[in-house]
Amino acid sequence: MKSPKNLSAAFPSLIASLKGYDLQPPPPTVIALNRVTYGATSALTEQVTKRGLGDYLEEQLHPKNEDERVVRKLSEATLPIKYNDKDGNPLVDEVRSLRLIDAPLSELWKLNNKDANLPYAEKIRALEEVRVASWLRAVYSPWQLREVMTEFWHNHFNVNASDQKISTVFPVYDRDVIRKNCFGNFRVFLEDVSKSAAMLYYLDNFTSKASPANENYARELFELHTLGSDFYFNNLYNRWRDVPGATAGKPVGYIDEDVYEAARAFTGWTVADGASSGKDKLPDTGEFYYYDGWHDNYQKRILGTEIEPNQPALSDGHLALDLVAHHPATAKHLCKKLCIRFISDQPPQSVVEGAVKVWIQHQKSPDQIGQTLRYILNTKEFAATWGQKVKRPFHLMVSMLRATQAEITPNQGLTGQLSQMGYLHYSWQTPTGHPDVMDYWLSSNSMIARWNVASSLLSVSPNNRIAAYDFARFVPPGMDKPQDLSRFWIDRVLQKKKTPDFEQAMIDFLRGDGKADQSIPADKLNNRLSGFIALLTMTPDFQLI
Amino acid sequence: MKRREFIIGCSAAIAAMAGSRITGYSFAPDGSPGNILIYVFLRGGCDGLNLVAPVNDPNYIANRTADVRVTDSGDTEGLSLGNGLAGLDFRLHKKTSALKELYDSNALAIIHAAGLTNGTRSHFDAMDLIERGSLQNKTLNEGWLTRFLKSVPAAPEGNNIASVAIGTVMPTSFLGSNGTLAISNLNDYKLRGDKRYASILQSLYTGNSLLDEAAQNALTSVAEINNQLPKDVTNTPMPYVPENNVKYPESPLAKSLQTLAQLIKMETGLRVASVDYGGWDTHEHQQGAFANLADGLSTALGAFYNDISHHQKRVTLLVMSEFGRRLKSNKSNGTDHGHGNVMLVLGGEVKGGKMYGTWPGLENEQLDNHVDLAVTTDYRHVLSEILLKRMANPKLGYIFPGYKDYKPLNFLNGNALQIDYNNAK
């Protein structure tokens, strides 16, 4: 193939100077911060180094209300909305502030009013507002771990909010289900999810009636939300006695019959969406609703536990949630997932096991998840590895914005940039959520998109409506030479020592046709730096965590 | 760090320069353009009993409301197929007239009651196992297409892009294949910004980690594709114009297949491509959703096949899903996860216009676990026949670990090779 030679020929001095490029981990504090935040800014690293990482982590586990800056950013944020009437004439073309993220369900539910028959753009607005709020919080919130955990749980309890019905209730899901429980108790969390309109719609339980029940929610409850498919004995199908431990009431895993029976337990769990059933009509509030007429009230057996027929309302479902939430396999599944998120794709078994102990010990604690996280983040293995994970696309983009302390005004275009890298922000179609392992994010297409996003996101062109940069503002007074500027920004963006070869190559890049000690004119500084800083974020050093 | 297989005796940098990452299988041993396998995966468990349906089977009629069933008359009347199975009246879903045309012109073969013989009803496990080419082992670190690529007979060198996943990301069937590209749109497959970025990235990503290899692969393929794209006088890539006045429908599947047609015609040495088509998880109100999906599949395949009219002989396109759905519909007017399913094979050397496989029947005791269509044809038989007769690769034991009882259905022209059940490459 000829092309690589052509590439080298384009910039020979640089290639020569980078021969044997040496990739080294950053200091442990930086590694840790890059895992519990959306990017260790140099200011944050300095602050945490002074006061101690332990203190910082402890504080992060007990987040307070949003600080003033985030509140202001949220109140100032706007998004355009535009759509035509039935004849194609412009009906709405305006810029609106975020009105839906804090709205109560009763307000959001009006978007579904059948008489109003609102267009897609109005309904999908709720999702778009949550996305904007996520960007602003991820970039600016001092409570970074809460944002990281919110993303973790959105992914674990994935719903695809680009479905307009789910979009309209998505602010409630984000705020009152995911954010509210992200450091809380898993059993409580699970029930909040199971009763949320977003999940009832997404996994179809809202239409599940006896009989046959709709199995969608029950299957993913076992397979993805709780025990995980490592504990699925598909070959046993209906032979529950053959599951190890089953006859003693402690089956180690689940079978298809458990899914069928659990699906029956959740029949009648629905959304009060005004649906008609025979002579009855459900209320039309968007709240969770139990409709006894749809419930399968006969006896069931779930995970080796017999359930008598004709139990009180909701009792079958509550018991099913108890059984799966408190199952040891669930502890293993969830703790492994947390360790994969915070340590590496192949986390040390000892850390997973330690986390499982804490998880089970705090089964009834209101801060079960926070306790488990505290354990994981305080192990010596946390922050001991580096380079075995890449930043996922949202993390990558937010860390670019944090490293440059950009003033951002998010818009819908960001969603498209994420999707180029394979990240579908609150729109992942299947209930697995995005994979959390390195392989997945490294296709040729997404690699190119990861680099392209750097040059487009960090552009200082006035057409760029996503963020405003003033790189010059951070440069120490009097610093205007490529060699000094290059070192300054390497320290700031990469936060690690680099080899002289790398430094030289970066200086060469920044100086372009000029000399290393020749001043860059003040009026050209921002422009020159934007391309240079974009390059720094394209390096393996910035992409890896 | 997990490292990919490294090219022995050849440094990473040299390998990249020589283009060795994009492995060379572009041409048949005689130097002619090779055959092409296209693997279309319907994600989410397509209801095969609603795509190709035994409309006069009394159990089919009894277990499903007309909403989730193809019928022999009325609003849901299907398109009748000749040469069905077991003397039944098999019909295609009414929204698949392009598939019916392909079947009637003998380009499309239909294999029913096929699938993964492992009884999992989990989408993700079933996809994982099928894509890794295994019955049980979810931890194999390569996909079946990767092992296919690694074991295909050597071919003369040339500029080539042998394997491509159409889309943003890489499906599991290509897991561990460091030479496979993911591409969604050829004309947009380029590095933006400062012209110097490409060369400096080339020198920064030089190790043999996953990240380094992905980066090198991306850089070399971007340059390669940009070299090959037809350009106008201003050196701008020209928009793609399909043959035969074909108009692709506006859908992600159609866009994917159009990209593929463009790649095939660029003669970059394509051997294997995968295409995903999601959204088949129809647990509720299946009727409308399924009709749209079936229409999307049919019109896109019809357009693609017409567009590649000069290359049809080289192409074998397989359509499959992780499993079919429950025979009995649920109270949400949908269907839950099932077992046996239909597979479609399209191509110039397909003995089409015929249904293949063994129909197991839909009586309660004929069903798998009394609920789902039984699997009478292991999906690996179908893939193997394509490998043996069209792709010149007999290494079934290596590609599908543990597999040893290949049964030809004879839906393809071509001479089967001596089968190699050895588990080594």
Side-chain angles (χ1 to χ4, degrees), chain A residues 189-248:
Chain A
F189 198 168
L190 197 63
E191 184 163 334
D192 283 354
V193 170
S194 72
K195 291 179 171 171
S196 69
M199 189 58 78
L200 284 159
Y201 282 143
Y202 178 60
L203 291 178
D204 303 326
N205 205 74
F206 79 111
T207 62
S208 188
K209 315 168 180 72
S211 164
N214 187 316
E215 287 164 27
N216 204 8
Y217 174 66
R219 192 169 287 279
E220 308 313 1
L221 173 68
F222 282 91
E223 182 177 333
L224 299 170
H225 296 173
T226 61
L227 283 78
S229 71
D230 287 352
F231 295 90
Y232 170 33
F233 292 84
N234 77 61
N235 56 324
L236 298 179
Y237 194 77
N238 56 359
R239 286 176 283 133
W240 69 276
R241 285 183 191 82
D242 295 347
V243 179
T247 48

Side-chain angles (χ1 to χ4, degrees), chain B residues 134-157:
Chain B
S134 171
L135 268 194
Q136 302 290 351
N137 187 353
K138 285 194 280 179
T139 59
L140 280 176
N141 56 9
E142 285 172 340
W144 77 274
L145 288 175
T146 301
R147 286 193 300 277
F148 162 77
L149 287 163
K150 287 188 172 178
S151 58
V152 82
E157 279 193 27

Side-chain angles (χ1 to χ4, degrees), chain A residues 1-5 7-8 10-11 14-15 18 21 204 206-216 219-220 223-224 229-230 232 234 237 256 260 346 387-388 390 419-422 429-432 438-440 442-448 451-452 455 502 505-506 508-509 512 531-532 534-535 538-540 543-544, chain B residues 1-2 4 16-19 22 118-125 138 159-160 167-170 175 180-184 188-194 196-206 210-211 214-215 217-224 227 278-279 281 283-285 326 328-332 336-337 369 371:
Chain A
M1 184 175 297
K2 296 166 201 139
S3 35
K5 284 180 197 156
L7 291 181
S8 326
F11 206 30
L14 197 56
I15 302 307
L18 274 170
Y21 173 61
D204 303 326
F206 79 111
T207 62
S208 188
K209 315 168 180 72
S211 164
N214 187 316
E215 287 164 27
N216 204 8
R219 192 169 287 279
E220 308 313 1
E223 182 177 333
L224 299 170
S229 71
D230 287 352
Y232 170 33
N234 77 61
Y237 194 77
D256 283 286
Y260 301 157
Q346 276 100 31
Q388 299 180 14
V390 281
S419 73
Q420 294 290 312
M421 294 180 273
Q429 199 175 11
T430 57
T432 49
M438 190 171 186
D439 288 51
Y440 183 78
L442 298 181
S443 79
S444 51
N445 211 342
S446 42
M447 236 13 258
I448 292 159
W451 292 324
N452 283 344
S455 29
F502 180 91
M506 292 299 131
D508 288 350
F509 182 92
F532 175 72
L535 173 63
M538 294 159 95
T539 61
Q543 302 275 328
L544 290 165
Chain B
M1 179 177 295
K2 196 163 71 176
R4 300 213 172 172
M17 295 291 182
I22 298 168
N118 177 317
T120 182
R121 267 82 174 162
S122 149
H123 294 297
F124 318 107
D125 277 1
K138 285 194 280 179
N159 278 356
N160 57 72
T168 307
V169 296
M170 196 67 72
L175 185 70
T180 300
L181 307 179
I183 298 177
S184 34
D188 211 27
Y189 192 70
K190 58 187 168 204
L191 200 58
R192 299 178 196 284
D194 195 306
R196 298 171 297 170
Y197 285 155
S199 59
I200 194 160
L201 291 173
Q202 184 90 29
S203 59
L204 283 172
Y205 289 87
T206 52
L210 287 179
L211 178 69
N217 206 12
L219 289 164
T220 51
S221 59
V222 157
E224 165 78 359
N227 282 347
D281 197 16
H283 286 275
E284 64 116 15
H285 292 100
R326 186 79 35 84
K328 192 174 177 66
S329 52
N330 63 29
K331 271 275 165 59
S332 311
D336 295 309
H337 302 183
N369 282 305
V371 288

